[in-house]
Amino acid sequence: MESIQAHRKVEHLSLAEKQYALSHAEHPFDQVRLMPKALPETTVAAVDLRTTVGELTLTQPFFIEAMTGGSQQSTRINRQLARLAKRHHLAMATGSMSIIFKDPAAKASFTCLREENPTGLLFANLGAGANLAQAQAAVDLIKADALEIHLNAAQETVMPEGDRAFLWRDHLREIITHLPVPVIIKEVGFGMTSQSIQELAELGATIVNVAGRGGTNFAMIEDRRNHEESFADLHDFGLTTPESLLEARRVAASTRPTILASGGITSPLDVMKSLALGAKAAGVAGYFLHCLLRQGETGLDQELSHWTRELKRLYALLGIQTTADAGQIETVWDSNLTNFWRQRTSQRKSES
């Protein structure tokens, strides 16, 4: 029989799929348009999709973001994802590994990733309450190339058995300072303000995933699991991914960490929009999980191949050859996103 923690992981997977359409009812990336170039003066053959994220070099500007782990079902899914990551040369993040410290049997759901993909880029994943010893143990277990630390105060607030104390700074500073692999600090779908990004930079963070609202909605998932109280008013809490990427622009370039994007990314065009708004790469979880559960490993395999082909064509269409050039792409924003930017810029001026 699986542990209580493993059962919660199974619930998360089930609810993420059941509520997929509801979570993606609005698509924040529709608020961003890319300006076309009638004379791109490029060729698809010359495109190089590689991108640099701190010390890491990703073969493609998107990666398989954290999904699951800790249960038998998770093990099956993680094996499939790891095989696909290997086949398509994609970096991959594990789901939260915190369960391994309460349920040792859960380790197999993570070690299977290295079994399937011995040399690929793999990110371990722990919550912000983890200490340095736990961070090192998670990295060692799967020979991770980096560690993701997820900030999930909003999720914990709604989760019936969640934490109610969010005292994370000291642990984060220690892990960032002493862990021998790169550390990525990420949200779990509620976005980040410029102040939060700046505070993380002051703690030493060099890579931040703003992970905004628009994809898997953990407020909604945990509210469904909560049979004691309703937190329906928090289902749209936080910032969208485009809003969060604009917030990152408000951090001085001299102190700004490398920015990653995730949350609601469901197409190669969304990846391009993320890059144009300042991200160095985009993580995708919910959409890939949805494809895997609906179409199987073969279906997701075909989808990943399509993403690579389309991205190369989009680079050429927009007149760029490398991911580093994506900042040259002009964008326009709809009235809501424009109003958000104006208000936040105005607030910054009034504060100074």
Side-chain angles (χ1 to χ4, degrees), residues 136-151:
Q136 189 64 64
V139 167
D140 291 344
L141 181 67
I142 60 171
K143 299 180 176 62
D145 301 283
L147 173 69
E148 281 189 342
I149 295 286
H150 61 265
L151 312 178

Side-chain angles (χ1 to χ4, degrees), residues 193-214:
T193 64
S194 56
Q195 180 182 359
S196 294
I197 296 168
Q198 182 64 51
E199 289 173 350
L200 289 170
E202 291 169 0
L203 292 175
T206 58
I207 308 172
V208 171
N209 186 337
V210 295
R213 194 181 78 241

Side-chain angles (χ1 to χ4, degrees), residues 281-296:
V284 186
Y287 178 75
F288 288 163
L289 178 63
H290 182 66
C291 287
L292 182 64
L293 295 178
R294 291 296 183 92
Q295 303 171 33

